[in-house]
Amino acid sequence: MNLPARIATLTESGAPAAQRIFAAAGVERAAACALWALSTQEERSADADFYIAALEQLWSSETPPRSFVTRLSAWTDGLPEFAEEDPPGGVPGYVFEGVLLLELAAKATLAPDEPETLGQVSDALLDFANTLDQEESTDDPLTPGSFDFAQVFSGPREPQGRHCVGEKEEQLHTLSALVGAEVGAVPAEDTVLELRARARAVGRQRLEALKAAQSLRKPWEPR
């Protein structure tokens, strides 16, 4: 069964706690990069604290109240990364994507009246991974031989970067760990702890990769 089908099965299972843990694990994998990006800016410690507290709510064994989603959305709307119509690039872009993932996860799993879905959370996590792959890319369109004309005419293809492939594997692992969750049941504590530890480890690896890619940028390239 492919990833979208597995996510659809979890969505239809009537196990909201398992769905929330799936989303929390995904946000956790992006959190290290988002929090590091916040740390590069002055006077953003309060935003970092809010982000951490909100992520803790997603992992909570007790279902957060609907007001949590309202507060999260209000906080998001007030961030400078969301002040313009177009999302920021460079390091601030990781704040944008990390916060967007957090809000999307909360709406998809805690606000049934909102249009966001678990499938959209999965897609957004893959987009985040693809951003990291592009960060690491050494392809230069101005270098002879680096432009693949065959790819242009063959149509779009699924991203195959290491972070994208790894994200799919992590989502499938999480789904396998949560499979069979009873309706209304909270996943076993040891399962949740394992998933969070694994997600944090991936997040640390991603942050190391991001820092390494940033250090290789040319002085004139945006950071």
Side-chain angles (χ1 to χ4, degrees):
M1 189 182 295
N2 61 21
L3 180 57
R6 292 281 297 277
I7 290 172
T9 298
L10 179 61
T11 301
E12 296 163 3
S13 69
Q19 295 172 28
R20 178 163 51 83
I21 295 304
F22 171 83
V27 177
E28 191 78 63
R29 291 192 291 274
C33 291
L35 290 169
W36 171 76
L38 274 172
S39 74
T40 65
Q41 304 176 46
E42 295 183 1
E43 301 181 356
R44 299 300 298 272
S45 60
D47 288 330
D49 289 343
F50 188 98
Y51 187 99
I52 292 169
L55 181 53
E56 287 294 332
Q57 287 279 289
L58 279 185
W59 282 108
S60 176
S61 59
E62 298 181 3
T63 304
R66 178 64 174 82
S67 59
F68 163 70
V69 180
T70 303
R71 293 197 308 274
L72 177 57
S73 293
W75 170 73
T76 299
D77 290 342
L79 294 176
E81 290 80 11
F82 290 79
E84 304 295 334
E85 183 175 347
D86 295 325
V91 171
Y94 288 94
V95 178
F96 179 88
E97 290 201 42
V99 171
L100 194 65
L101 278 170
L102 180 64
E103 184 183 29
L104 179 58
K107 287 183 175 180
T109 61
L110 295 170
D113 54 319
E114 297 284 355
E116 286 76 8
T117 67
L118 208 61
Q120 290 175 326
V121 174
S122 173
D123 289 342
L125 290 169
L126 291 169
D127 285 343
F128 183 86
N130 189 49
T131 298
L132 286 171
D133 283 327
Q134 292 176 344
E135 187 85 47
E136 290 185 329
S137 175
T138 57
D139 290 342
D140 183 351
L142 298 180
T143 301
S146 67
F147 195 79
D148 188 352
F149 285 98
Q151 171 60 28
V152 173
F153 295 105
S154 65
R157 65 182 179 185
E158 200 170 335
Q160 294 297 319
R162 70 184 183 105
H163 294 294
C164 265
V165 172
E167 176 59 33
K168 289 178 188 176
E169 292 174 350
E170 290 304 316
Q171 289 190 33
L172 288 169
H173 173 84
T174 305
L175 289 165
S176 295
L178 297 172
V179 70
E182 297 179 7
V183 175
V186 176
E189 183 179 1
D190 57 345
T191 297
V192 174
L193 290 174
E194 184 275 331
L195 289 174
R196 188 165 198 184
R198 183 180 175 111
R200 281 177 165 170
V202 172
R204 289 192 295 270
Q205 293 168 3
R206 288 178 172 180
L207 178 55
E208 290 175 3
L210 172 58
K211 287 181 176 179
Q214 286 284 313
S215 70
L216 295 174
R217 284 186 174 275
K218 307 290 192 305
W220 58 84
E221 291 180 320
R223 294 179 181 268

